[in-house]
Amino acid sequence: MLIDQTMVCEASRLLEGVPAGYRGHISDEDWRWHYDEGHHINWLPSVEERLLHLSTLLDAILLYDQVYVLDSGKPADEASLTLRRVLFERGILTPLDTRTLALPVSNELTKFLADVSADREEELWDTSPGYVGENIRVTLAHEQHHGSDERRTFLSALRSEVEGSPLHSGSLFEHADELRADPLGTLGFELLRQIDRFDSGALVGGVSHLRTFVYWRTAAHLGLPFIPSLRRLPTYHLLTNHIRNSVQERVYSAVGEAFHCSVSEVYENEHPLPLYLPPALSLFLDHLRANGNIASAIDDLRRSHRKLRRDLASFQHAMGGSATLRDARDAQRRLTAALTTLRAEANGAPPHGAIDQVLDIVPAAVRAAANPLDVSGYSDTLARRPAEWIRSWWVRRPIRSAFALSDRLLGLSQYDQLLEAATGQRCTTEGISWLHTRYGRCLALYGGETRLPAPASPTRPPLTTSDDTSA
């Protein structure tokens, strides 16, 4: 599983009692581009947002033996982040060595951005797709660059954990219809526009979008599922949902032909499995309250649910070895039985989310394309691959857990006393309401969705939001 540094750092700061909105962990250089009264300063990390990060992080380390992050610049307050340090020391969290991906990912994004900018009438001042792509290459290759002050600041922003609000760009509101119709192209040109307006305070927003693209493509190249932090989630969901909706029918048809079965059988194979999880956040905070030891709380959580991780790993292995869709369904039934046991232990609680497999743009299928992220032609390109390749790709797609985000947002208040007893921090009614409203606006812009990052459950309709309603 791949997660981002923001999730890890902000979850750690919650446990350390770092004041909400605290800027001491941001370097002066990064803060120069983070501080913009109209865009970024009004959404600094809150207790409630950090608690969501902690909840998602704990579920990830409960489910997966190995969790990865991109190897980026170390936070200024690294020495004080106990949870982050423990996860690295235990080998649970590992930085990815992205040097072999530097050229493939940067070339992919350069070609894509060149195609996107060629289709727009608006001209950019100084930012070219090649400039952005080269900075991505330098970042993923872990190289140092001693160029202009502007470029050093751009690279610093790329390697930092500072995130802008997903709502910071008014132009996306003006192009909401285009965003829904062509998420890849609209977001691609938006990040170029924001980086181009370097001195306007928009750099952080453009870099935030760019890092989401980098996480997305890195996960695709490595065959890893990706769980983004809260602010990255709306953008990431928009991208992945657009891909699924755009290519699903044609790809399913090609998969059916490769397995010599009907398309309906492929759909049946793709049905998400309900995910019943132990209450990781409650268990962790309760242990922390009783013992005051973050490392011990992590160890207890991992030890108590080792079998669940083995079951999920066995499912991934069985899916990868499936010769037929019937074999894949047999593997799904075995995992369902294991998850049903968890449901019984949870006294019939509703699903925590779902488990499915990633449906994404596969680098191996479009490596030589003029625009490798062109969704319109991707399904046909994939369908031309040999049947044996399609069968192998289909069953080996990474397994991902799709958590119920709306439940987490609406359930924050139940942790207020436990959180305060364990950390001294407290969720407030006002803070929860503000986060609901703020995130509801994100969902209204990028598309309402209750889960991440899979499509909505058939038994649970997507959340509808507006600018004046909460998530």
Side-chain angles (χ1 to χ4, degrees):
M1 170 65 72
L2 177 64
I3 60 176
D4 55 35
Q5 289 273 11
T6 298
M7 183 187 299
V8 179
C9 291
E10 294 303 341
S12 299
R13 291 179 183 122
L14 173 71
L15 300 181
E16 301 300 333
V18 176
Y22 178 64
R23 62 140 290 194
H25 60 276
I26 302 174
S27 69
D28 289 340
E29 183 177 16
D30 286 345
W31 184 256
R32 177 188 173 198
W33 303 111
H34 183 73
Y35 185 91
D36 182 345
E37 189 69 37
H39 297 99
H40 309 300
I41 188 67
N42 58 358
W43 194 355
L44 288 175
S46 65
V47 170
E48 294 76 22
E49 182 180 351
R50 286 171 171 168
L51 185 59
L52 283 172
H53 287 152
L54 178 62
S55 176
T56 305
L57 175 61
L58 292 174
D59 280 341
I61 65 178
L62 185 149
L63 279 170
Y64 295 90
D65 279 321
Q66 190 67 69
V67 181
Y68 295 98
V69 290
L70 293 188
D71 193 5
S72 60
K74 290 180 173 57
D77 58 343
E78 176 189 18
S80 67
L81 302 181
T82 305
L83 175 61
R84 183 180 183 275
R85 174 178 54 77
V86 167
L87 293 177
F88 276 114
E89 288 179 349
R90 296 294 194 272
I92 299 169
L93 195 63
T94 302
L96 280 172
D97 185 346
T98 55
R99 285 175 292 183
T100 59
L101 297 178
L103 275 176
V105 172
S106 62
N107 287 343
E108 199 175 61
L109 288 174
T110 299
K111 290 179 181 179
F112 160 67
L113 293 174
D115 188 73
V116 164
S117 57
D119 288 342
R120 263 65 178 183
E121 294 182 0
E122 180 180 342
E123 293 187 4
L124 302 172
W125 296 339
D126 300 311
T127 302
S128 69
Y131 170 79
V132 174
E134 172 60 13
N135 280 284
I136 290 297
R137 188 199 65 77
V138 168
T139 300
L140 294 179
H142 304 165
E143 293 179 3
Q144 297 297 319
H145 182 77
H146 305 287
S148 65
D149 289 345
E150 181 175 307
R151 183 167 185 185
R152 284 200 299 272
T153 301
F154 183 28
L155 286 169
S156 175
L158 271 174
R159 290 166 173 163
S160 76
E161 53 165 311
V162 175
E163 300 291 352
S165 160
L167 295 172
H168 70 274
S169 175
S171 60
L172 282 181
F173 282 101
E174 297 168 5
H175 301 282
D177 291 340
E178 294 176 34
L179 184 66
R180 297 292 179 83
D182 180 19
L184 285 169
T186 305
L187 285 170
F189 191 72
E190 180 64 15
L191 73 85
L192 282 174
R193 180 192 292 115
Q194 290 170 0
I195 293 169
D196 193 52
R197 297 171 181 172
F198 188 87
D199 291 321
S200 71
L203 175 65
V204 167
V207 168
S208 292
H209 284 313
L210 181 57
R211 278 206 300 263
T212 300
F213 273 83
V214 172
Y215 271 105
W216 166 45
R217 299 318 303 155
T218 298
H221 278 267
L222 295 176
L224 290 172
F226 170 50
I227 295 183
S229 53
L230 184 67
R231 301 189 195 188
R232 198 178 304 287
L233 173 59
T235 305
Y236 181 69
H237 164 73
L238 189 74
L239 297 175
T240 55
N241 199 48
H242 174 64
I243 293 165
R244 181 179 288 271
N245 291 340
S246 300
V247 308
Q248 182 170 278
E249 184 176 352
R250 182 69 183 94
V251 168
Y252 281 21
S253 177
V255 171
E257 292 177 8
F259 278 104
H260 306 292
C261 67
S262 66
V263 174
S264 61
E265 290 180 85
V266 181
Y267 271 91
E268 181 183 352
N269 179 250
E270 281 289 271
H271 189 73
L273 304 179
L275 174 60
Y276 300 96
L277 277 180
L281 181 59
S282 294
L283 293 171
F284 176 84
L285 290 176
D286 191 54
H287 190 287
L288 186 61
R289 176 182 57 180
N291 299 281
N293 189 302
I294 292 174
S296 174
I298 290 293
D299 291 341
D300 183 67
L301 188 67
R302 294 275 286 185
R303 182 174 53 252
S304 300
H305 301 97
R306 187 180 294 114
K307 183 180 183 301
L308 176 58
R309 290 194 300 282
R310 284 202 305 265
D311 288 337
L312 189 61
S314 296
F315 175 54
Q316 178 77 80
H317 180 74
M319 289 294 290
S322 298
T324 66
L325 291 187
R326 177 177 294 179
D327 292 340
R329 285 195 294 272
D330 288 342
Q332 289 174 339
R333 279 192 286 268
R334 290 193 294 273
L335 181 62
T336 299
L339 294 175
T340 301
T341 301
L342 282 176
R343 183 183 188 185
E345 294 174 356
N347 299 318
H352 204 72
I355 290 177
D356 69 354
Q357 284 185 285
V358 174
L359 181 59
D360 205 342
I361 294 177
V362 185
V366 293
R367 188 173 293 135
N371 177 4
L373 304 186
D374 179 13
V375 178
S376 63
Y378 170 65
S379 55
D380 288 333
T381 302
L382 184 70
R384 289 195 293 270
R385 303 288 291 188
E388 182 179 351
W389 188 95
I390 293 175
R391 290 194 297 267
S392 178
W393 159 71
W394 186 253
V395 297
R396 286 174 170 77
R397 290 172 300 145
I399 304 298
R400 62 182 171 188
S401 50
F403 299 136
L405 177 63
S406 62
D407 288 349
R408 291 169 189 254
L409 285 168
L410 297 173
L412 287 178
S413 59
Q414 66 181 294
Y415 297 102
D416 56 355
Q417 295 182 5
L418 183 56
L419 176 66
E420 185 174 29
T423 69
Q425 304 287 296
R426 187 179 181 89
C427 291
T428 67
T429 302
E430 294 79 10
I432 294 171
S433 176
W434 186 87
L435 184 60
H436 287 177
T437 301
R438 189 74 174 182
Y439 202 78
R441 289 173 180 166
C442 290
L443 296 179
L445 176 62
Y446 289 94
E449 181 56 84
T450 60
R451 297 194 293 116
L452 75 90
S457 166
T459 60
R460 190 174 194 166
L463 189 66
T464 56
T465 59
S466 70
D467 281 358
D468 299 318
T469 58
S470 74

